[in-house]
Amino acid sequence: SDTTRALHARHATMLEWKTSTRLPVSPDAYYALMTNGTFQQELHIKGLHMGCWDFVDAPQDDGTLKRVAFSEPHLNLPKILERLMRKAQSYNEHTHFTPERLERLVRVVPLVGGDTMDFTFDENIIPDPDGGGGCICQAVVRVAVRGGWIGRIIERFICATSKVKIAERDAYLMRHFTALDGPAVAAWARRGIASASASASVVEVSLGGGGGGFESGMWGGKNQLVVKD
């Protein structure tokens, strides 16, 4: 992919993983929430417990949408330490939405150390093949950090944190959908479609020597990642 080739130019290895979430709404309905900046701001502050999430949207002539968002975490620490750690964990998101494909591509740039790191995640929304009118949000997270063994530790920390944030997002979405139409969500659940993020497995991929790709087993359930040349 273009993302993998770009990482190849800067890093010898990277971590990447796939995860998927089943949701009780149509692909178009969920994608509308992804592009709704006001809803996403509320989700990040109330659902992901961020201190702020400010955004600017720029609709493009080709029908796509570009968004830049700034986010800071909310930390329960002494004031001086909290200010220092908050800055260290603040970041900008550069997002490109393609409504035609129900896709969004996101590049995360930390305020501290952003020049030593590549952190991206790609999402697309598809109809749930199990039926019932729901959808599946598929995500691929990639992270590569220069800095030897310290970089490897940071990569795994980012992957672990991303998994937590996806779980928080999913919980917030289910509360939102239940508040809108609880009986419909209950009926969806009774049809046996479990709304839970897949447990994400992390794999290190060599970007040199012909490597640099991976494929997954079926979306949903436990992910199965396989490195391939």
Side-chain angles (χ1 to χ4, degrees), residues 92-158:
N92 288 306
E93 290 181 5
H94 300 265
T95 304
H96 191 189
F97 294 94
T98 306
E100 183 181 16
R101 297 197 296 268
L102 299 183
E103 172 185 85
R104 74 166 172 167
L105 309 178
V106 184
R107 180 168 58 91
V108 180
V109 182
L111 264 63
V112 177
D115 58 340
T116 66
M117 179 187 307
D118 284 288
F119 177 19
T120 66
F121 62 94
D122 304 345
E123 289 186 304
N124 71 296
I125 316 302
I126 63 171
D128 193 329
D130 288 344
C135 70
I136 296 180
C137 177
Q138 302 178 152
V140 182
V141 181
R142 300 179 179 91
V143 59
V145 182
R146 293 197 296 274
W149 64 271
I150 295 178
R152 305 292 80 74
I153 292 174
I154 295 174
E155 288 171 355
R156 294 187 179 277
F157 171 78
I158 291 172

Side-chain angles (χ1 to χ4, degrees), residues 36-142:
N36 184 329
T38 301
F39 179 84
Q40 290 297 316
Q41 185 176 59
E42 183 177 284
L43 184 153
H44 279 77
I45 293 174
K46 295 183 178 180
L48 276 61
H49 314 295
M50 304 304 292
C52 74
W53 193 85
D54 301 324
F55 69 97
V56 176
D57 283 349
Q60 304 296 296
D61 292 339
D62 61 1
T64 64
L65 172 69
K66 290 187 177 181
R67 170 179 294 159
V68 177
F70 170 74
S71 189
E72 286 184 340
H74 177 74
L75 304 172
N76 293 318
L77 296 171
K79 189 171 183 179
I80 295 178
L81 184 58
E82 192 271 344
R83 187 162 53 242
L84 176 64
M85 294 301 294
R86 184 179 65 214
K87 182 178 179 181
Q89 295 186 44
S90 299
Y91 60 88
N92 288 306
E93 290 181 5
H94 300 265
T95 304
H96 191 189
F97 294 94
T98 306
E100 183 181 16
R101 297 197 296 268
L102 299 183
E103 172 185 85
R104 74 166 172 167
L105 309 178
V106 184
R107 180 168 58 91
V108 180
V109 182
L111 264 63
V112 177
D115 58 340
T116 66
M117 179 187 307
D118 284 288
F119 177 19
T120 66
F121 62 94
D122 304 345
E123 289 186 304
N124 71 296
I125 316 302
I126 63 171
D128 193 329
D130 288 344
C135 70
I136 296 180
C137 177
Q138 302 178 152
V140 182
V141 181
R142 300 179 179 91

Side-chain angles (χ1 to χ4, degrees), residues 170-210:
D170 295 347
Y172 182 87
L173 287 171
M174 289 307 300
R175 291 194 298 270
H176 172 76
F177 296 136
T178 300
L180 287 178
D181 193 343
V185 172
W188 170 81
R190 284 195 298 270
R191 286 192 291 267
I193 306 174
S195 63
S197 289
S199 57
S201 301
V202 178
V203 59
E204 183 170 90
V205 178
S206 173
L207 297 178

